[in-house]
């Protein structure tokens, strides 16, 4: 039985296979509409979500399966003090596969050790978000066509941004990938990702506070939100929240075939006017999330 807790648990070949299946689902959805008949997905969301939870649920429905679960901790027995371990033990006797989001880093890992069915990490605190990374990779595959030989800028909250941690780790396994980390000093990418993942892989990277410094070199600009829910001190959040605002004037300095991605939700960091620019791919990216999650559900349930 396989779980998905960290994106690096999937080999490069497995990621290629998931992307290929997702592309086939997009081209031939009718082939897949009964694949999960009589299967149940449990979505256990202890933290708010729109895209991840609903795309997982849409994915399972489009595969012909069913969905159960909760969308906030307060409507589950964790509000009465039940542990994650006990919740998972019980839910894994009701469902065939579980997608779980939790504010505590490592909670899905604990869940996977107690579960009788595959557990998917749907985001754990400021740690990892592997299915967002699969979503990002499918979008890059469809919009750019390759993962090698790209320059990607990550901008915003790189400290707590779990989507950044997972995507940078995933891309570290490809050839000639250059990473530009753009953040305020206080929200720099964690040193362990630089030292333990990127440097051993020989990835060329730079850190800067200036969004415009490398703008013309980027193939992908990955914008992120400064996340209010990760700050202990509201004054720090207010000081940092509008550090970077991508507007059309800035986008016009990018290459014509570059992509602007964002895991969403956005607050102020991308001006609405950017949505109409052909480089803005973040809504296409959100749509890709459903297809790659369909591919992942099939893989973890070992359905051909
Ligand atoms: N990208 C993402 O995880 O969005 P949600 O928080 O809406 O699921």
């Amino acid at each position: 039985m396989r779980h998905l807790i960290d994106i690096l648990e999937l080999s490069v070949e497995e990621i290629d296979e998931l992307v290929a299946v997702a592309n086939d689902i997009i081209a031939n959805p009718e082939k897949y509409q009964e694949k999960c008949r009589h299967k149940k997905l449990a979505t256990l969301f202890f933290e708010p979500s729109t895209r991840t939870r609903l795309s997982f649920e849409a994915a399972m429905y489009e595969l012909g399966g069913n969905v159960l679960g909760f969308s906030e901790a307060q409507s589950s027995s964790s509000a009465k003090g039940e542990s994650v371990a006990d919740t998972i033990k019980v839910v894994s006797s009701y469902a065939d596969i579980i997608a779980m989001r939790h504010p505590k880093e490592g909670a899905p890992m604990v869940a996977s050790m107690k579960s009788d069915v595959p557990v998917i990490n749907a985001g754990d605190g400021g740690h990892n978000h592997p299915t967002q990374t699969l979503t990002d990779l499918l979008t890059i595959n469809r919009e750019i066509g390759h993962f090698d030989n790209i320059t990607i800028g990550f901008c915003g909250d790189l400290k707590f941004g779990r989507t950044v941690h997972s995507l940078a780790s995933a891309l570290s396994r490809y050839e000639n990938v250059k990473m530009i980390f753009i953040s305020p000093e206080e929200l720099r990418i964690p040193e362990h990702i630089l030292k333990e993942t990127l440097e051993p892989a020989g990835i060329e990277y730079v850190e800067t506070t200036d969004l415009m410094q490398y703008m013309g070199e980027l193939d992908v600009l990955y914008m992120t939100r400064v996340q209010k829910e990760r700050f202990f001190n509201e004054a720090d959040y207010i000081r940092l929240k509008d550090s970077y605002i991508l507007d059309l004037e800035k986008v016009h300095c990018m290459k014509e075939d570059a992509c602007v991605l964002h895991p969403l939700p956005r607050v102020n960091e991308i001006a609405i006017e950017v949505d109409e620019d052909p480089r803005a791919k973040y809504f296409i990216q959100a749509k890709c999330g459903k297809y790659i999650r369909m591919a992942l559900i099939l893989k973890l349930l070992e359905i051909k």
Side-chain angles (χ1 to χ4, degrees), residues 178-201:
K178 184 173 174 188
M179 301 189 188
I180 315 292
F181 296 110
I182 308 146
S183 73
E185 278 296 324
E186 296 90 333
L187 298 177
R188 283 170 61 182
I189 184 114
E191 191 154 302
H192 71 89
I193 293 179
L194 301 178
K195 301 284 177 219
E196 291 167 25
T197 305
L198 304 190
E199 290 181 13

Side-chain angles (χ1 to χ4, degrees), residues 153-158 164 180-183 211 221-225 244-245 269:
F154 294 94
C155 177
D157 176 1
L158 310 188
V164 171
I180 315 292
F181 296 110
I182 308 146
S183 73
L211 172 57
L221 174 60
Y222 195 90
M223 293 295 296
T224 62
R225 174 175 66 99
Y244 302 101
I245 298 180
E269 60 280 2

Side-chain angles (χ1 to χ4, degrees), residues 45 48-53 101 129 132 162-163 263-265:
F45 277 62
S49 167
T50 297
R51 276 145 294 274
T52 311
R53 185 173 66 84
R101 171 171 289 187
H129 195 346
Q132 180 63 46
R162 59 194 176 196
T163 63
L264 304 178

Side-chain angles (χ1 to χ4, degrees), residues 201-227:
I203 290 291
E204 186 184 340
Y205 70 84
V206 288
E207 294 186 84
T208 177
T209 56
D210 180 0
L211 172 57
M212 295 310 292
Q213 193 177 355
Y214 295 93
M215 202 62 144
E217 291 178 34
L218 303 180
D219 299 298
V220 179
L221 174 60
Y222 195 90
M223 293 295 296
T224 62
R225 174 175 66 99
V226 174
Q227 303 169 91

